Amino acid sequence: MLTIALPKGRIAQETLEIFEKTFNEEFKFENRKLILQKGDFKFLLVRNQDVPIYVYHQAADLGVVGLDVLREKDLNLVELLDLGIGKCRVCVGMKNEDSLDLNKPEIKIATKMVNIAKQHFSKKAMAVEVVKLYGSIELAPLVGLCDAIVDIVETGNTMRENGLKVVETIMHSSAHLIANQNSFISKKSEILNLYFKIKEVLENR
Ligand code: PRP
């Protein structure tokens, strides 16, 4: 039995579709249930940012999560496979009329991705104050909470609709299949078996 943590929403849906193609079976969560057990798999529905935590603590053997979340959490996990879904970028955004003032002693950044933001600006030797928010990041520069944001851009609509522009792309992201390090040893054949089957389905898409 393999336990797999999925991030609630579209990625969980698309991952289950990949499993359906791979095993020719239906994998569907019943209305409000958070656990789906079928055949050799037990799927868990968790919050996006919590997926690496479930896997790190071995509450799940495997997980599906964006590379952005993996980099932000920076836990020791096995990165098995890029599923090629949930593609997005992590970007620095500012109001259309603004630009990054490199002479400013300190730039104020609002983000839910504090570590990625800090690392990015420290590499550029820019002093930043990072304000952690939990959502609606695009609002922060509009009301003077920050000079710039670090946030996910998928279609770019949210930034555009709010009069913001991308000034830098920090990283590209997509959903990855990850494994707990101990599970990867104790359930190696099961995990590799799944890995090769999914890989084949993805290659033939
Ligand atoms: C993300 C991100 C942006 C939006 C970008 O939020 O924080 O607000 O998506 O998408 P777009 O470029 O297609 O407009 P998400 O919907 O994941 O919600 P969250 O803030 O609750 O994480």
Side-chain angles (χ1 to χ4, degrees):
M1 170 78 68
L2 287 172
T3 302
I4 306 168
L6 301 178
K8 270 185 181 177
R10 213 168 69 204
I11 308 263
Q13 204 48 51
E14 290 183 28
T15 304
L16 290 175
E17 282 167 23
I18 293 173
F19 272 82
E20 289 183 342
K21 267 194 204 133
T22 308
F23 296 98
N24 247 324
E25 271 187 73
E26 193 185 38
F27 292 102
K28 205 168 179 217
F29 278 89
E30 281 171 40
N31 42 43
R32 292 256 151 203
K33 288 238 167 82
L34 299 172
I35 299 180
L36 161 64
Q37 192 163 335
K38 192 163 182 190
D40 297 330
F41 304 112
K42 188 197 267 185
F43 295 98
L44 314 178
L45 264 195
V46 310
R47 271 300 292 268
N48 188 29
Q49 292 94 330
D50 293 338
V51 169
I53 298 165
Y54 276 78
V55 177
Y56 181 75
H57 291 280
Q58 214 174 8
D61 302 301
L62 301 171
V64 173
V65 68
L67 198 59
D68 55 321
V69 176
L70 277 181
R71 293 294 172 264
E72 177 65 22
K73 298 282 180 219
D74 196 24
L75 297 166
N76 283 325
L77 296 161
V78 184
E79 287 174 24
L80 286 172
L81 188 60
D82 182 354
L83 297 179
I85 57 176
K87 286 185 182 161
C88 60
R89 294 181 290 157
V90 179
C91 295
V92 180
M94 293 189 96
K95 288 200 281 187
N96 284 333
E97 61 271 29
D98 289 353
S99 56
L100 271 182
D101 181 358
L102 300 175
N103 295 320
K104 228 180 162 187
E106 195 174 67
I107 291 168
K108 209 165 166 186
I109 303 289
T111 186
K112 51 188 163 193
M113 317 179 95
V114 170
N115 295 326
I116 290 177
K118 281 187 178 159
Q119 277 166 26
H120 176 70
F121 288 103
S122 93
K123 271 189 206 150
K124 296 162 76 84
M126 283 170 72
V128 291
E129 180 193 344
V130 176
V131 180
K132 161 107 187 176
L133 294 176
Y134 292 87
S136 295
I137 314 295
E138 291 85 353
L139 177 64
L142 304 180
V143 293
L145 178 58
C146 62
D147 301 303
I149 60 171
V150 168
D151 200 18
I152 302 292
V153 175
E154 201 181 327
T155 60
N157 287 339
T158 311
M159 280 213 193
R160 222 174 359 255
E161 295 293 325
N162 288 288
L164 303 178
K165 63 181 174 190
V166 170
V167 291
E168 281 184 298
T169 295
I170 300 179
M171 66 176 289
H172 290 266
S173 177
S174 55
H176 281 57
L177 182 67
I178 58 169
N180 171 276
Q181 290 191 326
N182 292 327
S183 298
F184 191 60
I185 294 166
S186 61
K187 299 186 178 182
K188 190 154 198 163
S189 60
E190 255 180 290
I191 291 175
L192 285 181
N193 189 20
L194 175 66
Y195 165 87
F196 285 116
K197 280 187 176 150
I198 290 182
K199 200 160 177 266
E200 199 186 324
V201 165
L202 292 179
E203 279 163 4
N204 292 318
R205 272 209 297 199

